[in-house]
């Protein structure tokens, strides 16, 4: 059984599978396309919403340092992702990397984890986008019927038609081709980054030095006791729960980490990149550097414009400009947020479809979903299936309490990828690596510890939900994936051939 769980798929075989005509994706992306994808998915909810939440509740003006901490954790993981993506340029991201280094069952678990992470992330972002559109419509004096405004705004039955409609439109775009997706993303990202730069430049003129005092507010005890909403690390060690102070910076980092989710989606597009060995590392690291710089700049500006204790939770950037007597910028920011969340939603859906496609191509999920469109060369079956499911989920559910599952799932993937880099270096030192993670094994070990630290700062209830999802995943693998694995069936056939007596022997 253990040999079955940890059988690895050779890198050469993974690459060979991508050459089968009916399972081959079209290679059309460049380093610029990948960087745009990365920026498009990372700049979203975090920069427009989480800045105020983290500053007001846990870090104060030091939230800028929280973004730095989260960015460093992502950078450590990005260096590991870059080596894997350039060595194994196959769709599936952490799932494919794990299959080549840790084995089939760990690969299944991380793939199962990514399916939840990306699906939930897509639905949450779609609902957030709908909220901004409703706000813009309200400003214009237009309102949708309550029954079409989502569950929270309806009496009895409610369906968020905007959130569901967005997901379905993006699903159609993804089916039509990656290059079209890249062009749409490029236009939207240009608008979004322009809005962010306007916020930074314009907001810099309204900064007051007194708003930064104190930069790291004194720690304040809060009541949590044995509450599962308290960070797990506090419950483990019996620490008195507190906000602000130095620990508040790390707690805020685990919250704003949601703002960085998605840069690893760049790795899922490796198979559709013309020169993955060169362009994927550039796309991953380039997008992360750009986004971290913008995040820190926005955090510094918004906490300088308005006292952290007065920042709003729902729309901190827009309300900060209102507080300084410039409400015109609020509408611009809401427009930028709505535009920005469009690309976040699309790229998360893109990444999930690629992971699902890779798992089905390996037989761990039904092979029906591993066929590409004969004309567009996209994984249209999993894209349509997941798009419809997510549209329904986002239409009926706010998902606000489940959003932290996205964080823990991503951090878990970071840990697996970092461990996989070390193992593959030892098991396959012969593999050509156009990009090599520096300081192995020290840097991957630091990456594991940093990701684990942020995981421990998430609420205990998030860990409980994550454990339940992983248990369900084990059952699905045991009853389906284990027996339908292409690698397992191939090894079984080879074993039968070697055990069979040679034919043609004279008696």
């Amino acid at each position: 059984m253990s040999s079955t769980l940890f059988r690895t798929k050779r890198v050469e075989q993974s690459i060979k599978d991508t050459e089968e005509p009916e399972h081959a994706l079209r290679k059309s992306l460049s380093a610029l396309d990948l960087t745009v994808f990365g920026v498009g998915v990372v700049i979203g909810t975090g920069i427009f919403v989480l800045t105020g939440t983290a500053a007001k509740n846990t870090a104060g003006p030091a939230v800028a340092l929280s973004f730095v901490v989260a960015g460093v954790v992502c950078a450590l993981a990005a260096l590991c992702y870059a080596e894997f993506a350039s060595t194994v340029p196959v769709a599936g991201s952490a799932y494919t990397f794990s299959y080549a280094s840790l084995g089939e069952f760990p690969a299944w678990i991380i793939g199962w984890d990514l399916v939840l992470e990306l699906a939930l992330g897509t639905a949450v972002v779609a609902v957030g986008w709908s909220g901004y559109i409703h706000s813009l419509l309200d400003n214009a004096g237009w309102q949708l019927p309550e029954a079409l405004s989502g569950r929270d705004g309806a009496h009895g039955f409610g369906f968020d038609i905007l959130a569901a409609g967005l997901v379905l439109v993006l699903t159609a775009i993804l089916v039509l081709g990656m290059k079209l997706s890249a062009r749409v993303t490029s236009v939207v990202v240009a608008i979004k980054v322009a809005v962010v730069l306007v916020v930074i430049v314009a907001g810099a003129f309204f900064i007051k030095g007194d708003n930064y005092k104190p930069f790291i507010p004194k720690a304040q005890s809060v009541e949590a006791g044995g509450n599962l909403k308290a960070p797990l690390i506090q419950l483990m060690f019996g620490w008195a729960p507190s906000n602000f102070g130095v620990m508040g910076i790390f707690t805020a980092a685990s919250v704003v980490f949601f703002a960085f989710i998605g840069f690893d989606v760049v790795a899922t597009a490796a198979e559709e990149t013309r020169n993955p060995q060169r362009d994927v590392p550039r796309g991953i690291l380039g997008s992360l550097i750009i986004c971290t710089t913008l995040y820190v700049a926005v955090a510094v500006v918004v906490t300088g414009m308005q006292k952290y204790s007065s920042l709003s939770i729902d729309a901190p950037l827009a309300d900060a400009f209102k507080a300084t007597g410039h409400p015109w910028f609020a509408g611009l920011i809401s427009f930028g947020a709505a535009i920005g969340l469009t690309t976040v939603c699309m790229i998360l859906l893109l990444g999930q479809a690629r992971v699902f496609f890779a798992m089905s191509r390996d037989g761990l999920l039904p092979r029906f979903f591993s066929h590409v469109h004969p004309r567009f060369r996209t994984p249209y079956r999993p894209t349509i299936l997941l798009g419809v499911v997510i549209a329904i989920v986002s239409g009926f559910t706010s998902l606000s309490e489940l959003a932290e599952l996205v964080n823990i799932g991503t951090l878990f993937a970071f840990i697996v990828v970092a461990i996989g880099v070390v193992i593959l270096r030892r098991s396959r030192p012969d593999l050509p690596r156009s990009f090599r993670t520096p300081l192995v094994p020290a840097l991957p070990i630091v990456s594991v510890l940093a990701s684990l630290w942020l995981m421990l700062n998430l609420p205990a209830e998030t860990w409980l939900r994550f454990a339940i999802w992983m248990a369900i995943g084990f059952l699905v693998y045991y009853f389906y994936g284990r027996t339908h694995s292409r690698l397992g069936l191939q090894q079984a056939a080879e074993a039968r051939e070697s055990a069979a007596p040679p034919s043609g022997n004279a008696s």
Side-chain angles (χ1 to χ4, degrees):
M1 180 66 176
S2 60
S3 61
T4 300
L5 294 177
F6 296 99
R7 57 194 174 201
T8 57
K9 184 178 181 181
R10 289 176 59 83
V11 173
E12 293 82 359
Q13 183 61 49
S14 294
I15 296 175
K16 184 179 178 181
D17 288 346
T18 68
E19 299 169 356
E20 298 175 358
E22 62 181 2
H23 305 294
L25 300 172
R26 176 173 292 165
K27 297 181 181 295
S28 60
L29 301 179
S30 64
L32 178 60
D33 292 329
L34 294 177
T35 303
V36 169
F37 272 140
V39 174
V41 72
V42 173
I43 296 182
T45 305
I47 202 166
F48 294 109
V49 177
L50 294 181
T51 305
T53 303
K56 185 171 185 175
N57 296 334
T58 52
V63 68
L65 298 181
S66 300
F67 277 112
V68 172
V69 170
V72 168
V73 173
C74 288
L76 293 171
L79 291 170
C80 299
Y81 269 91
E83 174 169 329
F84 257 131
S86 62
T87 306
V88 195
V90 177
S93 185
Y95 159 75
T96 300
F97 307 157
S98 301
Y99 213 161
S101 55
L102 300 175
E104 184 172 281
F105 180 65
W108 163 265
I109 286 296
I110 199 64
W112 185 252
D113 163 55
L114 289 173
V115 167
L116 173 69
E117 170 205 333
L118 297 174
L120 194 58
T122 305
V124 170
V125 173
V127 173
W129 176 87
S130 175
Y132 276 107
I133 296 299
H134 280 298
S135 176
L136 289 173
L137 291 176
D138 289 341
N139 291 340
W142 301 336
Q143 287 187 339
L144 289 176
E146 282 190 350
L148 298 178
S149 300
R151 189 186 65 178
D152 294 337
H155 300 289
F157 175 83
F159 186 81
D160 194 333
I161 189 67
L162 292 178
L166 172 67
V167 175
L168 293 178
V169 169
L170 296 180
T171 297
I173 292 175
L174 290 173
V175 168
L176 292 176
M178 279 293 282
K179 200 60 184 177
L180 174 61
S181 305
R183 289 169 181 163
V184 172
T185 303
S186 297
V187 173
V188 175
V189 168
I191 297 173
K192 177 166 56 175
V193 171
V195 171
V196 172
L197 291 176
V198 167
V199 169
I200 294 171
V201 174
F205 290 96
F206 308 122
I207 291 176
K208 295 181 180 179
D210 289 342
N211 289 333
Y212 291 127
K213 300 176 182 178
F215 187 72
I216 303 179
K218 185 178 180 181
Q220 300 176 2
S221 297
V222 296
E223 293 184 7
N227 193 338
L228 288 178
K229 293 187 179 295
L232 181 63
I233 193 169
Q234 294 178 352
L235 298 180
M236 288 171 58
F237 294 99
W239 296 345
S242 63
N243 290 331
F244 303 111
V246 175
M247 285 300 298
I249 295 174
F250 292 105
T251 302
S254 69
V255 174
V256 301
F257 181 80
F258 183 85
F260 288 90
I261 282 172
F263 84 85
D264 54 319
V265 171
V266 174
T268 69
E271 190 175 327
E272 295 160 273
T273 305
R274 290 193 291 267
N275 188 348
Q277 288 77 14
R278 180 196 67 188
D279 294 343
V280 173
R282 291 182 179 181
I284 292 175
L285 297 172
S287 59
L288 188 59
I289 291 171
I290 292 171
C291 294
T292 302
T293 302
L294 292 176
Y295 276 170
V296 172
V298 167
V300 170
V301 167
V302 74
T303 54
M305 291 176 63
Q306 190 175 17
K307 192 70 174 178
Y308 73 91
S309 56
S310 300
L311 288 172
S312 86
I313 300 298
D314 297 327
L317 273 65
D319 290 345
F321 275 102
K322 288 181 181 178
T324 59
H326 295 82
W328 179 85
F329 284 101
L332 177 65
I333 292 168
S334 295
F335 172 75
I339 290 293
L341 294 180
T342 304
T343 55
V344 176
C345 211
M346 182 172 74
I347 299 169
L348 288 176
L349 182 58
L350 177 151
Q352 188 194 35
R354 269 59 183 175
V355 173
F356 201 98
F357 170 79
M359 295 174 74
S360 64
R361 189 164 57 186
D362 289 331
L364 301 183
L365 289 172
R367 290 271 289 169
F368 171 82
F369 296 104
S370 66
H371 295 269
V372 299
H373 194 281
R375 177 183 175 187
F376 304 121
R377 312 305 299 173
T378 55
Y380 69 108
R381 289 175 178 174
T383 301
I384 293 173
L385 170 69
L386 296 169
V388 171
V389 171
I390 295 171
I392 294 172
V393 171
S394 60
F396 282 112
T397 316
S398 66
L399 297 176
S400 56
E401 293 199 5
L402 298 181
E404 286 166 333
L405 272 172
V406 183
N407 285 13
I408 196 169
T410 302
L411 289 165
F412 179 64
F414 286 2
I415 290 174
V416 171
V417 169
I419 294 173
V421 165
V422 177
I423 292 176
L424 199 62
R425 282 281 188 97
R426 293 181 178 274
S427 62
R428 293 297 307 275
D430 57 304
L431 283 174
R433 292 171 169 84
S434 58
F435 181 91
R436 298 177 69 89
T437 303
L439 303 175
V440 174
L443 188 144
I445 291 174
V446 173
S447 178
V448 170
L449 295 176
S451 297
L452 183 60
W453 175 258
L454 290 189
M455 289 176 73
L456 292 174
N457 277 278
L458 289 169
E461 65 179 356
T462 300
W463 281 82
L464 180 60
R465 290 169 178 159
F466 183 65
I468 293 172
W469 178 253
M470 290 294 103
I472 295 172
F474 174 79
L475 295 177
V476 174
Y477 172 78
Y478 184 81
F479 290 107
Y480 183 87
R482 181 176 59 92
T483 56
H484 291 77
S485 165
R486 288 185 68 193
L487 179 61
L489 295 175
Q490 178 184 347
Q491 290 180 350
E494 292 173 352
R496 286 194 299 270
E497 288 181 6
S498 61
S503 59
N505 287 348
S507 55

